[in-house]
Amino acid sequence: MKTRVKIEKVIRETSDAFTLVLENAPSIGSYLPGQFLNFFLDINGEEVVRQYSFSSSALIGEPPAVTIKKVAGGLASNFLGEHLRAGDEVSVSTPSGRFTTTYGERRRVLMVAGGSGITPLYSMMKSILAREPESQVTLLYANRSSESIIFKAGLDYLEQKYHGRLEVKHFLSAEDAGPEKQENTVFRKLNRFDFQKYVDAYWKESPEVFICGPDSLMDLSVVSLSDLGLSDDRIRVEAFTGTGGVENTNDASEACTQVEIRDFNGGPVAFRADRNQPVLKSALDAGIRLPHSCKESMCGACKVKLISGQLHMKTNYALPDDELEQGYVLLCSGFPQSEKLALQYG
Ligand SMILES: Cc1cc2nc3c(=O)[nH]c(=O)nc-3n(C[C@H](O)[C@H](O)[C@H](O)COP(=O)(O)OP(=O)(O)OC[C@H]3O[C@@H](n4cnc5c(N)ncnc54)[C@H](O)[C@@H]3O)c2cc1C
Ligand code: FES
């Protein structure tokens, strides 16, 4: 569902990252830390959809805000940075995403961030520290240089406020150590031995790990932590860039499925879908522009409700359990499996 919200404020975080503070509109609804909004942008007459994670925490009374880093040559991130000002309106979805957490009693949390990957983790960290007075959080944060650290002042403030409960370690890969020693900064890339130290120190507390950043950092973190014996169910990952889409299958027959989708642009739409490929692909091949963005089951932009028939989602990184229970499915990773399929927006 799309809604229009006003941008209350634009905060410059670094030379290429900025925060959009949004109007606290009831239409956005409530969100969990770590979730994101789809932004529907009109760029040169084309609709461009991109996802931006909340950096704010509603639990501590902050208005909704997302933080965006301009990607070199990137369409949406540069458009947002260069064209939007306080007072402008943007079209966004309701919050989506499964990279989140519910609150418990006491836990030991490790967060690993690279660049703009700090955004959902910052929201989660503020929420965990405020909501769970006995929990402890360690953040390993990788950047090229001190100038590129997003939320540097905010992280320093949180470390003081939650003294002994939050530890931040910066890793700067393209900067040399200056004459003044900085206790919490290492001037090199993060490596597997950094995880060894952490796991050795907190192994008994069975840490929970949240990772968000470039693919190389996420791969290094997951492999290192798995090698050290941390089970997969303790490690949660959010990817900002995908791996190239959901692959077609060749093992189904040549059968087709008759698909009907209700409430699309005010009326129903019908088309035949190949069972060897996701429903979204068949629709686009037939010239029907159903809503979508990532095509990699990450953003939730292609979400619809399954009314009848069978559909198998090959992957799902976007829909939380409660939406799955309500019958929502993703069309970019959903393969039709029955003769007929009835779906509905809304
Ligand atoms: C679930 C989710 C949450 C996200 N949350 C955030 C967030 O909080 N803050 C944020 O800044 N971004 C976030 N992103 C990424 C964001 O949605 C866009 O992909 C990003 O801003 C690039 O879009 P663009 O249109 O500027 O670049 P495009 O025009 O789409 O891409 C231009 C070029 O940059 C490369 N590229 C695309 N994205 C990245 C990237 N993130 N890093 C490096 N290279 C890239 C592409 O491969 C391409 O070559 C999130 C993505 C997902 C899926
Ligand atoms: S298009 Fe992003 S989840 Fe389907």
Side-chain angles (χ1 to χ4, degrees):
M1 208 178 66
K2 283 186 204 174
T3 182
R4 302 248 337 140
V5 288
K6 198 162 91 183
I7 297 171
E8 295 285 2
K9 212 193 302 180
V10 182
I11 302 169
R12 186 184 141 104
E13 304 287 355
T14 65
S15 62
D16 57 5
F18 55 95
T19 293
L20 300 181
V21 181
L22 305 173
E23 166 193 9
N24 205 346
S27 51
I28 295 186
S30 58
Y31 67 92
L32 293 169
Q35 286 194 305
F36 61 86
L37 291 172
N38 283 301
F39 276 64
F40 304 93
L41 306 166
D42 179 354
I43 306 180
N44 303 326
E46 287 275 317
E47 185 177 76
V48 175
V49 189
R50 294 287 185 275
Q51 300 70 45
Y52 293 105
S53 311
F54 288 102
S55 49
S56 53
S57 166
L59 276 183
I60 54 172
E62 291 178 334
V66 297
T67 300
I68 299 164
K69 184 170 175 166
K70 289 188 199 167
V71 169
L75 191 60
S77 54
N78 288 287
F79 174 86
L80 285 161
E82 279 150 32
H83 294 281
L84 291 193
R85 300 283 172 266
D88 289 347
E89 283 195 347
V90 275
S91 284
V92 295
S93 65
T94 46
S96 301
R98 298 200 305 173
F99 184 67
T100 184
T101 186
T102 50
Y103 302 101
E105 306 243 306
R106 176 181 187 280
R107 58 182 151 163
R108 166 61 73 169
V109 178
L110 173 64
M111 295 182 168
V112 186
S116 59
I118 188 65
T119 304
L121 300 178
Y122 193 51
S123 170
M124 280 192 204
M125 166 191 303
K126 288 184 280 186
S127 309
I128 291 170
L129 290 167
R131 179 58 76 86
E132 297 172 5
E134 290 185 45
S135 291
Q136 286 174 294
V137 180
T138 299
L139 168 69
L140 309 181
Y141 188 10
N143 279 288
R144 285 181 58 73
S145 65
S146 39
E147 280 79 42
S148 55
I149 301 175
I150 305 174
F151 308 132
K152 171 79 174 72
L155 290 167
D156 287 349
Y157 167 78
L158 289 176
E159 255 190 315
Q160 279 183 9
K161 178 171 178 180
Y162 296 107
H163 185 68
R165 294 181 51 217
L166 171 65
E167 184 193 3
V168 180
K169 197 95 185 161
H170 294 283
F171 292 80
L172 302 180
S173 60
E175 188 170 305
D176 292 329
E180 283 176 38
K181 196 167 182 298
Q182 295 173 52
E183 285 298 331
N184 68 347
T185 306
V186 180
F187 295 89
R188 60 165 170 77
K189 283 191 167 178
L190 185 70
N191 65 40
R192 63 189 314 277
F193 300 106
D194 298 308
F195 294 103
Q196 172 96 54
K197 258 191 252 165
Y198 179 83
V199 169
D200 283 349
Y202 302 115
W203 181 250
K204 283 201 192 91
E205 294 174 71
S206 183
E208 244 180 278
V209 186
F210 296 92
I211 308 167
C212 187
D215 291 350
S216 54
L217 179 77
M218 294 204 294
D219 291 348
L220 169 81
S221 310
V222 172
V223 170
S224 304
L225 288 162
S226 299
D227 285 353
L228 290 166
L230 206 70
S231 61
D232 289 353
D233 62 341
R234 308 298 292 167
I235 306 174
R236 305 278 309 283
V237 174
E238 177 87 311
F240 279 3
T241 52
T243 50
V246 177
E247 279 179 24
N248 295 349
T249 60
N250 288 315
D251 44 29
S253 68
E254 289 182 3
C256 280
T257 292
Q258 186 59 37
V259 181
E260 185 189 86
I261 310 186
R262 299 173 200 164
D263 296 337
F264 174 61
N265 280 348
V269 62
F271 56 96
R272 288 181 72 71
D274 182 339
R275 289 197 201 163
N276 292 308
Q277 62 185 25
V279 176
L280 177 68
K281 174 131 188 7
S282 293
L284 296 176
D285 288 350
I288 302 165
R289 272 196 64 81
L290 298 180
H292 67 278
S293 174
C294 69
K295 293 192 191 165
E296 294 176 349
S297 71
M298 295 192 305
C299 72
C302 63
K303 171 177 96 171
V304 290
K305 204 164 192 174
L306 179 63
I307 306 299
S308 65
Q310 284 179 328
L311 173 143
H312 170 67
M313 276 192 287
K314 237 181 174 181
T315 50
N316 166 34
Y317 307 109
L319 299 178
D321 290 346
D322 60 334
E323 292 195 350
L324 291 173
E325 278 161 25
Q326 290 165 41
Y328 285 102
V329 291
L330 299 173
L331 294 186
C332 68
S333 69
F335 288 65
Q337 292 202 307
S338 51
E339 279 188 13
K340 288 185 179 175
L341 207 51
L343 305 157
Q344 180 162 24
Y345 281 105

